[in-house]
Amino acid sequence: METDTILIIVSCSALGILLGYIVAKALEKNNASKIIKNAKEESSAILRQANAEGESIKKDKLLQAKEKFIELKSEHEKIILARDKKLAEAEKRTRDKESQVSNELSKNKKLTQEIEEKVKDYDFRLEFLEKKKEEVDKAHKSQIRQLEVISALSAEEAKSQLIESLRNEAKSDAMAYIQETVEEAKLTAQQEAKKIIINTIQRIGTEEAIDNCVSVFNIESDDVKGRIIGREGRNIRAIEAATGVEIIVDDTPEAIILSCFDSVRREVARLSLHKLVTDGRIHPAKIEEVVQKTQKQIEQEIIEVGKRTVIDLGIHGLHPELIKLVGRMKYRSSYGQNLLQHSREVAKLCGVMAAELGLNPKIAKRAGLLHDIGKVPDSESDIETPHAILGMQWAEKYGEKPEVCNAIGAHHDEIEMTTLLAPIIQVCDAISGARPGARRQVLDSYIQRLKDLEDVAFGFNGVNKAYAIQAGRELRVMVESDRVSDEQAANLSFEISQKIQTDMTYPGQVKVTVIRETRAVNIAK
């Protein structure tokens, strides 16, 4: 019984499942048909909408095309109207020109007729003149025949005699005129040259530049003299050894005399004494320190003097080394004449004379200032070269113009003058040196003798410094203690004295003092 129940239940379940499946399929088929129907309706609606939009777009494009056509048509009509207007104006101008040309042609016809009439008149006059000329020639020939009969000479002979006489007369007159012109030119040239030189000299007023060999150092009281001398004269000896200047302390109140032929040494000694007296501490170590600082100060002052000089003269673009050489000229002399003042004077003279002659005064000033830079050599080897050639070499080395270099080298005729600037420098140099009281030959020869005396000492090994003092009557020689012993110092003194005796000419006697000093220096740290 239970088995039948189970079978019934299973049969009912299978029947239910089958009925459910059939119902589901029927429902699914019904839904699919509805979806297809809806899709068809939507697609037809889309097609209708697309057709409507296409029609509207088509109408818009047609309207735009019509508007564009109308616009292009109007522009084309405007261009045609403008061309028609230009053609009308061109036709009008052509008609005006044709009328003008016709008027000109009528005028030309009238002028041609007038010219033809004048030509006919001129032809008639020419025929008349020809007839008159023939009559005059006949009359002239008849006169010549009559003159030939009277003078018993033919026309050619008379003409040749007349030409010869006129030629001789013209030749003599021409020679006289040429001679007179040459003499007048010489006189005028001399007068103009003298006028230029005189005007140049009158426009330059320079003091007489005479260098002395002594300087006076003023002190506040005579008590300072004792401190300068030092114990047993050690301070004054240290100053003389460091500067190479002879210091004379005598009974002159409130003054000490510094004697040396070298202006740089005297200036170093004067400034060093001023610093030492102001400081109050005067001893050998301080003296050497102050002298070294003063020497550096003088070097800087030399540069400043050179800069001030070129600024005062209006010279620009000068090389720094040339400026330094210009400053060094302040402490050099030529025949007793201060070299810097002489060069400044020559520069001013050259500038004035160049302006008078129509040349460049700036270049002339430049050459005038630099013409004697060879007189301040850097080393002993440069002394053997003439100062004009040495100055020219320095100018070329530091980039000066060729005309300036030639003027420097040729102002003493060492080389050939190639520009007009060279004789101007030579003349102005002579003018500056030839002024009354400008130079002293004796002083220059004296300074040269003292320099030669010092050079003798420098020719020996181991010599560190050499100073000629007391007007050349004493030569003090400082030697290096590590190279020269005490015994060698005595021999060196003898050898130097023998060298001076055999090679130099001098009045009186020369005392040779060789100083050898040994120092032991250590530093505590």
Side-chain angles (χ1 to χ4, degrees), residues 248-419:
I248 302 173
V249 182
D250 53 13
D251 295 335
T252 306
E254 299 181 355
I256 294 175
I257 298 174
L258 310 177
S259 176
C260 182
F261 68 93
D262 193 330
S263 303
V264 178
R265 293 186 198 169
R266 288 205 313 273
E267 186 67 12
V268 170
R270 189 185 67 81
L271 293 176
S272 300
L273 277 175
H274 178 73
K275 292 178 180 179
L276 289 168
V277 170
T278 303
D279 185 78
R281 294 174 295 172
I282 305 176
H283 52 83
K286 184 67 175 178
I287 289 170
E288 291 181 359
E289 178 186 351
V290 170
V291 169
Q292 290 178 358
K293 291 182 179 179
T294 305
Q295 288 173 346
K296 293 180 181 178
Q297 179 184 345
I298 289 293
E299 289 294 327
Q300 188 63 33
E301 183 181 351
I302 284 172
I303 296 173
E304 293 298 325
V305 169
K307 290 181 179 179
R308 287 198 301 270
T309 302
V310 297
I311 290 172
D312 291 344
L313 295 175
I315 298 172
H316 305 286
L318 205 63
H319 194 278
E321 289 298 326
L322 293 179
I323 292 176
K324 188 175 180 180
L325 291 173
V326 170
R328 288 176 61 187
M329 288 195 291
K330 177 182 178 182
Y331 301 103
R332 293 291 186 273
S333 63
S334 176
Y335 298 101
Q337 186 179 22
N338 183 271
L339 198 56
L340 181 59
Q341 292 187 21
H342 166 66
S343 298
R344 287 172 63 98
E345 183 180 1
V346 171
K348 293 178 180 178
L349 289 169
C350 290
V352 175
M353 192 172 290
E356 292 287 339
L357 294 173
L359 301 176
N360 190 340
K362 292 185 178 180
I363 295 179
K365 280 185 179 181
R366 198 182 194 94
L369 178 64
L370 300 176
H371 80 285
D372 268 350
I373 57 174
K375 289 186 177 180
V376 285
D378 287 329
S379 60
E380 298 297 328
S381 60
D382 292 334
I383 297 176
E384 299 177 358
T385 307
H387 75 274
I389 302 298
L390 184 60
M392 180 186 69
Q393 292 173 354
W394 283 345
E396 291 174 347
K397 178 180 178 182
Y398 297 122
E400 289 298 316
K401 294 183 178 180
E403 54 266 32
V404 175
C405 298
N406 178 259
I408 295 172
H411 78 278
H412 283 311
D413 295 323
E414 274 86 1
I415 63 173
E416 182 181 359
M417 297 181 181
T418 58
T419 62

Side-chain angles (χ1 to χ4, degrees), residues 23 114 121 153 165 182 189 199 288 291 366 372 449 475 518:
V23 171
E114 292 177 358
D121 186 26
L153 291 173
S165 63
V182 171
N199 288 338
E288 291 181 359
V291 169
R366 198 182 194 94
D372 268 350
R449 183 172 65 85
L475 178 64
T518 302

